[in-house]
Amino acid sequence: MSIAVPALALMLGALLPALLTTLRGTPVDRLAGLIVTGPLVTLALTLLAAAYGRPAYLDVALVLALLSFAGSLVFARFLSRTL
């Protein structure tokens, strides 16, 4: 658990600029932020599952990975229609 906590803090620190880009910016920047945010949150949940020994977090991480990929595809399709 001693290695997982600093790794989790580093990953959450990397998540902040991605979230800010997703919330504010041009539509293309928002898409890039969304694509980066999905795997970062998935990895953070996987680290939490490993650090605290809770396998239920792995299920949430798997569902989030699938939904973030699908959400990126939907947003990219919507963006292609508006440009």
Side-chain angles (χ1 to χ4, degrees):
M1 183 167 142
S2 62
I3 295 175
V5 173
L8 184 64
L10 183 67
M11 211 160 291
L12 291 178
L15 186 65
L16 183 66
L19 282 175
L20 288 176
T21 304
T22 304
L23 294 175
R24 298 180 179 169
T26 64
V28 176
D29 291 340
R30 289 181 181 187
L31 178 61
L34 180 67
I35 289 171
V36 169
T37 302
L40 281 175
V41 174
T42 302
L43 288 173
L45 284 173
T46 305
L47 277 173
L48 280 173
Y52 295 116
R54 303 222 178 209
Y57 289 160
L58 291 175
D59 297 337
V60 175
L62 178 65
V63 169
L64 179 70
L66 293 173
L67 288 177
S68 69
F69 176 70
S72 298
L73 290 178
V74 168
F75 192 70
R77 186 174 177 125
F78 174 73
L79 185 64
S80 70
R81 288 185 181 174
T82 60
L83 292 179

